[in-house]
Amino acid sequence: MHKLLNRIVKRYLQDESLVEHNPKLFFAISEAFVAHEQDQYMLDRTLKLTSSELNEINSSLHSKLEENESAKAQVEEALARQQAVLDTIPEAVCSVRPDGALSLVNKSALALIELDQDELFALSPKEMLNHWLKKLVDPNSFINDLKKVNDQFRLQLNGYLELKNGKFYEFFSLAEELESKYLGRVWCFRDVTVTKQSEDKLRHQAFHDPLTGLPNRLLLIESITHALEVAKRYEMQLAVMFIDLDDFKKINDTAGHDVGDQYLIEVSAKINASLRTGDILGRLGGDEFLVFLEGSKDQREFIYVKERILKLLNEPIIINTVAYTVTCSIGLSIYPNDGAEADELIRKADMAMYHAKKNGKNTFSYFNPKLEKIALHRFSIDSQLRESIKNKDFFLVYQPKVDLQTQSIIGVEALIRWRNSDGQVVFPDKFIQIAEEIGLIHQITQWVIQSACEKLVEWRGTALENCNIAVNISALDFNEDSFTNFVESTIRRYAVDANCLEFELTESVFLGESKYTKSAMHFFKKIGIVLSIDDFGSGFSSFSYLNEFNIDCLKIDRSFISNISLGSRSFAIVKSITDVAKNLGIKVVAEGVETKEELAVIESVHCDFCQGYFFSKALNEQDLFNFVKCYNT
Ligand code: C2E
Ligand code: CA
Ligand code: CA
């Protein structure tokens, strides 16, 4: 029996037999006691256990809370540091939640949108977007970008924005994700105004002429090519006008390059102002301009424009109170007649301009296929001539000059001949001008002077001992500073007497007077070279420079000698030239005397010397020897 039951029985039951008589009852009660005791025990134990677990959990929660707080502090610290870092960078950075609200913004971003933090965060996402869009030059393109990222949230965006305040920004935008959960989008805007401006400047420089600011050849070709596409579609005509100023060099040479530059600036502004909208004026370089006239159905429109330009250039431009007038020559090529490509149209307009120039300048010419033939011919001469300069495929012939008083040969004029690659002899009127245009004349002149010096040496002690040699000098030779040095060193090298050498100069030497002309002329005079004016009377025939440069001799142009007769107009001219020259102490040569009648007239006006087919054509060296021998005996 359970101990507690036993004690209870002993204390409260006097008759213990009750227990014996009811064993089952007391057994059951005893069992109940045992069961109760066991339950109690279990309950106690459970209570004990729970409270210790609770303690444990409690303390673990405590420490977790502490951990969390320190983590929170760390996160806050990290966020503050991140914000500080973001605030120091020049790029504007902001982070936008999926609903359009801002979650982060740095100082540069606040500066970019020109709001402070409180003002910004007081705006709704929609207001914020509108505020931003108002600043953009092209808000629609940014709205399109936003649509794109709405459709594909992972899209990485990169682009450029122009703000109404003139600034340019490059932007990048990336999705913010955490374990593939979309958190929003970060935007970064970088100010690229300076780079953009310098890029624009470089691009402008690449496509514009620095002096006048006009489009250059590259941009013109681009514009013409583009306009040609449009013209083809609408069956329109286009015109390309090549403008070259006539004798512009004169301004540079006489007034200096600054005035020349100023003239170019003003003349281009003047031409530009006279054009229709859509027509483009460009500068190809130097004094060459190109006007490209937009599509038209009527060619007459092109004609009006060129008439206007020609007229404009006949009006003077005043620079520093001095009036300068420089006319121009214009060549015109038209699409579709003359070509379908920009290059081709420019080339043909150039040929037409060249033709206009040859027709006496201050005029205009259309392109026509004949001009192309002439240009092709020039081109082939050009390349052959370059080759011949290297191979020295030239030779000299000599035309005697006769002293009318003594009837003796006083000298010869050396005239150049070119043996071309086909072995044909080419006369100077077919190649000298081209050589001048392509810059080969200096080498030709040098070859002639050197060959003349060689002959002066070789002829010593022969029948040609006292024969002077005259050489033809191009006006362009005076453009080179080195010309005088070359002449001096060649004379010294061959040890020839400079008096035996004569330079025949045309009046164009004085017309386009280069800055070296004066000093070169004085130098040649000083060292004793005989100076003659060739083709006198055919140019502007001024006597002023005869005195200034101490000219020795005048060669009256053949056009006055041909068919000259007593009392004719030519006679009057030749006589007055001779009279004036005599008074100035200058000798006179009559050129191109072919008949004895002409000779008689020439003798009557007392010309000093005579040259022409009547006496002799230009001869090779051997024939010259024979001629001199015969003539002098
Ligand atoms: P230019 O200096 O007036 O030379 C005279 C030209 O007239 C020569 O022609 C000569 O042969 C020609 N001539 C001479 N007498 C008569 C005549 O009685 N009747 C006719 N109808 N013609 C006559 P060419 O040799 O053909 O020379 C032509 C031009 O070429 C020269 O004219 C000169 O301006 C230039 N030239 C010739 N040689 C040279 C040179 O070495 N250098 C340069 N720069 N030019 C040259
Ligand atoms: Ca000559
Ligand atoms: Ca001549």
Side-chain angles (χ1 to χ4, degrees):
M1 191 177 344
H2 191 270
K3 281 182 207 153
L4 185 59
L5 185 61
N6 207 16
R7 256 187 272 135
I8 291 170
V9 169
K10 277 191 181 145
R11 192 180 303 163
Y12 299 105
L13 288 181
Q14 278 83 27
D15 184 5
E16 285 190 24
S17 63
L18 262 171
V19 178
E20 277 161 29
H21 290 118
N22 295 293
K24 277 191 179 165
L25 176 64
F26 279 89
F27 178 72
I29 294 170
S30 173
E31 280 300 294
F33 269 86
V34 170
H36 173 76
E37 207 178 59
Q38 276 176 349
D39 282 354
Q40 186 69 41
Y41 174 76
M42 285 307 287
L43 191 65
D44 279 355
R45 216 180 128 66
T46 308
L47 276 177
K48 229 187 231 167
L49 268 176
T50 308
S51 83
S52 76
E53 265 173 28
L54 277 177
N55 278 342
E56 238 171 62
I57 288 169
N58 193 19
S59 84
S60 120
L61 276 177
H62 247 288
S63 66
K64 272 204 181 129
L65 199 64
E66 270 171 16
E67 265 173 32
N68 274 353
E69 254 160 25
S70 116
K72 188 181 158 208
Q74 274 177 23
V75 168
E76 274 170 358
E77 209 175 281
L79 278 174
R81 223 178 268 135
Q82 185 193 48
Q83 184 69 39
V85 170
L86 282 176
D87 282 343
T88 58
I89 61 170
E91 282 83 4
V93 178
C94 65
S95 171
V96 186
R97 293 208 188 95
D99 62 0
L102 276 181
S103 56
L104 178 148
V105 64
N106 73 346
K107 276 205 175 121
S108 302
L110 292 171
L112 172 61
I113 50 175
E114 293 171 300
L115 289 178
D116 67 28
Q117 185 124 7
D118 295 339
E119 287 168 331
L120 177 65
F121 280 93
L123 298 178
S124 70
K126 202 171 164 199
E127 287 168 331
M128 215 159 5
L129 181 63
N130 282 340
H131 176 82
W132 172 235
L133 291 176
K134 270 190 213 143
K135 296 192 172 296
L136 305 182
V137 171
D138 181 7
N140 286 335
S141 121
F142 192 71
I143 292 172
N144 281 341
D145 284 339
L146 288 182
K147 279 186 190 148
K148 275 189 230 157
V149 292
N150 263 351
D151 294 344
Q152 309 168 50
F153 76 87
R154 281 213 171 89
L155 194 70
Q156 283 193 18
L157 262 190
N158 177 215
Y160 290 89
L161 292 174
E162 186 183 355
L163 266 62
K164 285 182 184 155
N165 64 7
K167 296 205 156 212
F168 285 88
Y169 281 84
E170 181 181 14
F171 67 84
F172 302 93
S173 169
L174 287 177
E176 293 172 323
E177 282 183 88
L178 185 64
E179 290 167 359
S180 61
K181 186 178 168 216
Y182 178 56
L183 302 178
R185 185 159 268 282
V186 61
W187 294 83
C188 175
F189 300 85
R190 190 152 59 93
D191 187 344
V192 291
T193 313
V194 176
T195 327
K196 176 88 175 41
Q197 279 166 348
S198 57
E199 271 174 21
D200 286 354
K201 203 170 150 202
L202 278 178
R203 197 169 307 124
H204 189 271
Q205 279 170 355
F207 286 105
H208 291 83
D209 162 49
L211 178 69
T212 57
L214 292 175
N216 64 9
R217 180 183 282 271
L218 268 179
L219 183 54
L220 282 166
I221 289 184
E222 211 180 277
S223 314
I224 298 174
T225 306
H226 176 70
L228 278 168
E229 282 163 21
V230 180
K232 278 173 201 165
R233 217 174 307 138
Y234 297 104
E235 295 188 352
M236 307 275 266
Q237 305 190 57
L238 277 183
V240 170
M241 210 177 260
F242 202 110
I243 304 176
D244 189 289
L245 303 184
D246 300 327
D247 306 316
F248 171 69
K249 204 175 150 295
K250 256 194 288 178
I251 295 193
N252 272 342
D253 288 347
T254 54
H257 283 264
D258 286 348
V259 173
D261 284 355
Q262 193 56 35
Y263 183 88
L264 290 174
I265 292 169
E266 301 210 3
V267 84
S268 36
K270 238 174 137 179
I271 299 176
N272 230 347
S274 77
L275 297 178
R276 307 169 305 173
T277 37
D279 294 344
I280 297 175
L281 171 70
R283 182 171 174 226
L284 298 176
D287 57 356
E288 290 180 349
F289 295 88
L290 199 102
V291 178
F292 145 60
L293 302 172
E294 266 220 322
S296 166
K297 299 251 182 215
D298 188 353
Q299 274 196 18
R300 273 176 303 183
E301 283 190 33
F302 305 147
I303 305 304
Y304 296 145
V305 178
K306 71 97 181 144
E307 285 299 336
R308 262 203 314 272
I309 295 176
L310 280 172
K311 200 161 152 251
L312 265 180
L313 272 92
N314 273 283
E315 294 162 6
I317 288 179
I318 316 261
I319 301 165
N320 305 334
T321 72
V322 182
Y324 297 92
T325 308
V326 175
T327 59
C328 69
S329 303
I330 299 180
L332 192 76
S333 68
I334 293 174
Y335 164 83
N337 301 5
D338 303 327
E341 303 292 333
D343 271 339
E344 190 181 4
L345 288 168
I346 295 176
R347 194 166 47 79
K348 290 184 170 172
D350 186 6
M351 286 180 212
M353 183 282 295
Y354 187 76
H355 184 66
K357 206 143 262 204
K358 285 207 134 180
N359 279 354
K361 306 177 176 173
N362 192 18
T363 185
F364 147 88
S365 166
Y366 278 112
F367 169 78
N368 82 51
K370 261 196 243 150
L371 298 181
E372 192 160 34
K373 255 196 194 146
I374 296 171
L376 279 175
H377 173 70
R378 276 171 45 80
F379 180 73
S380 105
I381 292 213
D382 174 334
S383 42
Q384 281 190 51
L385 207 50
R386 284 176 201 279
E387 201 50 32
S388 294
I389 295 265
K390 280 190 241 150
N391 303 337
K392 308 233 164 22
D393 295 330
F394 301 99
F395 62 94
L396 290 177
V397 290
Y398 310 90
Q399 188 177 34
K401 288 182 192 174
V402 177
D403 183 330
L404 289 178
Q405 209 134 54
T406 62
Q407 289 296 315
S408 59
I409 292 162
I410 45 113
V412 291
E413 176 177 2
L415 295 158
I416 194 167
R417 301 290 180 261
W418 170 30
R419 197 180 302 280
N420 72 9
S421 52
D422 302 331
Q424 287 162 333
V425 174
V426 186
F427 281 73
D429 54 340
K430 294 277 183 295
F431 68 90
I432 288 291
Q433 199 193 344
I434 297 176
E436 287 180 333
E437 284 164 11
I438 60 179
L440 292 180
I441 192 68
H442 309 299
Q443 294 174 58
I444 290 182
T445 303
Q446 291 188 359
W447 178 84
V448 173
I449 292 174
Q450 194 176 315
S451 308
C453 289
E454 249 168 49
K455 290 298 150 195
L456 286 174
V457 174
E458 280 175 34
W459 292 349
R460 280 182 193 148
T462 72
L464 294 172
E465 168 109 60
N466 297 316
C467 189
N468 294 347
I469 301 183
V471 295
N472 291 284
I473 305 292
S474 161
L476 300 184
D477 289 320
F478 287 88
N479 292 348
E480 299 276 302
D481 187 22
S482 56
F483 183 44
T484 46
N485 282 342
F486 169 81
V487 172
E488 189 191 25
S489 63
T490 309
I491 287 177
R492 207 180 318 119
R493 181 148 51 97
Y494 287 93
V496 293
D497 184 354
N499 285 306
C500 298
L501 201 60
E502 178 175 337
F503 282 176
E504 294 193 6
L505 318 158
T506 57
E507 288 168 300
S508 54
V509 168
F510 309 100
L511 255 184
E513 204 180 297
S514 95
K515 60 178 170 184
Y516 306 120
T517 306
K518 259 196 189 106
S519 57
M521 289 291 287
H522 290 305
F523 175 77
F524 295 145
K525 185 75 208 170
K526 195 181 86 193
I527 63 173
I529 291 174
V530 180
L531 299 176
S532 295
I533 304 298
D534 208 351
D535 307 337
F536 192 80
S538 66
F540 70 117
S541 305
S542 156
F543 283 92
S544 64
Y545 55 78
L546 299 183
N547 244 350
E548 182 182 352
F549 295 113
N550 230 327
I551 298 295
D552 299 291
C553 192
L554 280 187
K555 297 185 78 178
I556 301 177
D557 191 62
R558 198 177 77 218
S559 58
F560 301 103
I561 310 296
S562 287
N563 301 317
I564 192 171
S565 59
L566 285 174
S568 65
R569 213 179 126 75
S570 292
F571 174 77
I573 294 171
V574 172
K575 180 152 175 33
S576 48
I577 293 176
T578 316
D579 288 346
V580 176
K582 284 235 141 66
N583 287 336
L584 294 171
I586 296 170
K587 299 275 186 211
V588 178
V589 183
E591 277 197 293
V593 176
E594 292 185 353
T595 65
K596 66 174 189 299
E597 291 78 18
E598 289 165 0
L599 178 65
V601 180
I602 297 306
E603 281 177 324
S604 78
V605 297
H606 307 294
C607 268
D608 302 280
F609 310 122
C610 201
Q611 184 184 348
Y613 293 172
F614 178 77
F615 297 102
S616 170
K617 294 198 169 193
L619 304 167
N620 66 31
E621 193 179 7
Q622 189 52 53
D623 290 344
L624 178 66
F625 266 109
N626 297 338
F627 178 82
V628 169
K629 270 185 207 149
C630 290
Y631 201 85
N632 288 343
T633 50

